[in-house]
Amino acid sequence: MRSAVIVDAVRTPSGRGKPGGALSGVHPVDLAAGVLRALRERNGLDSRQVDDVLVGCVSQVGEQSANIARQAVLAAGFDERVPAATIDRQCGSSQQAAHFAAQGVIAGQYDIVIAAGVESMSRVPLGTAASIAGSPLPPSLRSRYPEGLVGQGVSAELIAARWGLDRLALDAYAAVSHRRAAQAAAADLFASQLVAVETESGTVSVDETVRAAASVDGLAALPPAFRTDELAQRFPDLGWHITAGSSSPLTDGASAVLIMSEEAARGLGLTPRARFHSFAVVGDDPLLMLTGPIPATRRILERSGLSIDDIDAYEVNEAFASVPLAWAAEVGADPERLNSWGGAIALGHALGSSGTRLLGTLLARLEHTGGRYGLQTMCEGGGMANATVIERLG
């Protein structure tokens, strides 16, 4: 069987996903084109060598419509013969893009492929696609769940309640995420991945979403973000502990990973940095919605023959603080190996981009620490999750 290897990984800095954010003046096609161009230039590729470009994006409407992957390929100056496709597996869209890319290499259908992701939540606000041309929930689906499914914030509250996570635990976790991200940035641990973005206001080269001064006391002053009287009546046992501070912020950003067969990489004189070891994707309870990383992790550990203790670094997307905390409790994970350079609460969650952003961070962490195996998993809208295990080479 052929191996699929990671040669390079890049990302933009994170920008606040609202008007006035550092990247809000940049068209999302140009955000994606920037990381594609960076991969080509950093690795001396002729774009005609790329078999396909797979890009994750969630809100595929307006500036992110019409197959944004293809628009980004053309905007990046790639040869017109390079194809591209846009993928939506909600928050795991670009992680799924990486799976499809690596699996295509393993199957012999690709030699060189780019997996990427992009989301401009300032220019294409969350929920825009569902706000036009009718509801995505037909009567048949509403009849299956007559009490109604809920938004992810409420799902995060349900998880906090089920796993006994109080306000202090959630705020403490969020503060640690910011502290770890700030420390990693100060130590230039993200430097190998970051690609500066030129805007009309100047060059953006650092993550805008990290708040080094975040503290438990400061976070404690924030109000619950998702409580309404109607929801409080439906869920009387919830403590309503999730705030903006223990949630990932709206974010703009793009990221990309260069994936090849090992033979293609060595033939081009490029160094394979890690190989894809195992893959998993699962569906889970759509009401709790965000618990999918738990069964996804169990499945991938079973498939890989590894135990959680064999994994040297975990990247579990911090959609909300309750998600990685519940995951760690269920799978018996070492908290020191979990998101040790900070997670999405600090670094942002540019939906379609987060999968390949996490993959780049996981690769850099393994190289920095000398670890062998890394695990990435993330919850996804509708109650799904992807999981990936990579093995560092060299």
Side-chain angles (χ1 to χ4, degrees), residues 194-247:
L194 281 172
V195 174
V197 179
E198 299 298 328
T199 75
E200 292 183 356
S201 302
T203 302
V204 179
S205 58
V206 297
D207 294 310
E208 186 184 24
T209 52
V210 178
R211 301 194 304 276
S215 67
V216 174
D217 289 343
L219 293 169
L222 296 174
F226 302 101
R227 184 195 180 282
T228 66
D229 290 343
E230 180 181 2
L231 287 168
Q233 184 175 6
R234 179 178 172 185
F235 301 107
D237 295 330
L238 291 186
W240 303 104
H241 299 313
I242 303 290
T243 70
S246 54
S247 309

Side-chain angles (χ1 to χ4, degrees), residues 171-316:
D171 287 348
Y173 183 90
V176 167
S177 183
H178 283 284
R179 175 173 56 78
R180 287 177 166 181
Q183 290 174 341
D188 288 331
L189 298 181
F190 299 121
S192 66
Q193 309 165 51
L194 281 172
V195 174
V197 179
E198 299 298 328
T199 75
E200 292 183 356
S201 302
T203 302
V204 179
S205 58
V206 297
D207 294 310
E208 186 184 24
T209 52
V210 178
R211 301 194 304 276
S215 67
V216 174
D217 289 343
L219 293 169
L222 296 174
F226 302 101
R227 184 195 180 282
T228 66
D229 290 343
E230 180 181 2
L231 287 168
Q233 184 175 6
R234 179 178 172 185
F235 301 107
D237 295 330
L238 291 186
W240 303 104
H241 299 313
I242 303 290
T243 70
S246 54
S247 309
S248 55
L250 303 176
T251 311
D252 297 339
S255 56
V257 178
L258 181 58
I259 298 169
M260 299 185 181
S261 68
E262 192 163 1
E263 296 77 11
R266 298 198 185 282
L268 292 170
L270 299 171
T271 302
R273 296 165 63 186
R275 74 176 181 94
F276 286 88
H277 185 281
S278 304
F279 312 92
V281 62
V282 302
D284 202 26
D285 182 343
L287 181 65
L288 285 175
M289 195 185 312
L290 311 176
T291 51
I294 297 168
T297 297
R298 289 172 175 155
R299 178 172 294 183
I300 203 168
L301 292 177
E302 180 180 356
R303 287 180 173 178
S304 66
L306 300 170
S307 73
I308 195 67
D309 292 332
D310 292 323
I311 307 297
D312 299 293
Y314 326 123
E315 286 290 326
V316 180

Side-chain angles (χ1 to χ4, degrees), residues 38-132:
L39 281 184
R40 186 191 69 200
E41 293 174 352
R42 284 165 49 130
N43 295 281
L45 287 178
D46 182 328
S47 67
R48 291 173 296 181
Q49 296 172 298
V50 179
D51 294 312
D52 208 352
V53 177
L54 305 176
V55 178
C57 183
V58 173
S59 295
Q60 295 181 34
V61 64
E63 292 183 345
Q64 297 180 162
S65 64
N67 188 10
I68 189 173
R70 176 61 173 168
Q71 314 312 322
V73 162
L74 297 176
F78 279 36
D79 191 279
E80 293 173 346
R81 289 166 288 186
V82 178
T86 307
I87 294 166
D88 176 7
R89 199 187 284 279
Q90 297 292 279
C91 299
S93 294
S94 57
Q95 185 174 359
Q96 185 62 63
H99 280 203
F100 285 155
Q103 289 160 355
V105 168
I106 292 167
Q109 299 305 301
Y110 295 139
D111 291 312
I112 301 173
V113 60
I114 294 174
V118 63
E119 206 82 31
S120 177
M121 299 178 77
S122 62
R123 299 172 72 98
V124 186
L126 183 64
T128 299
S131 69
I132 59 176

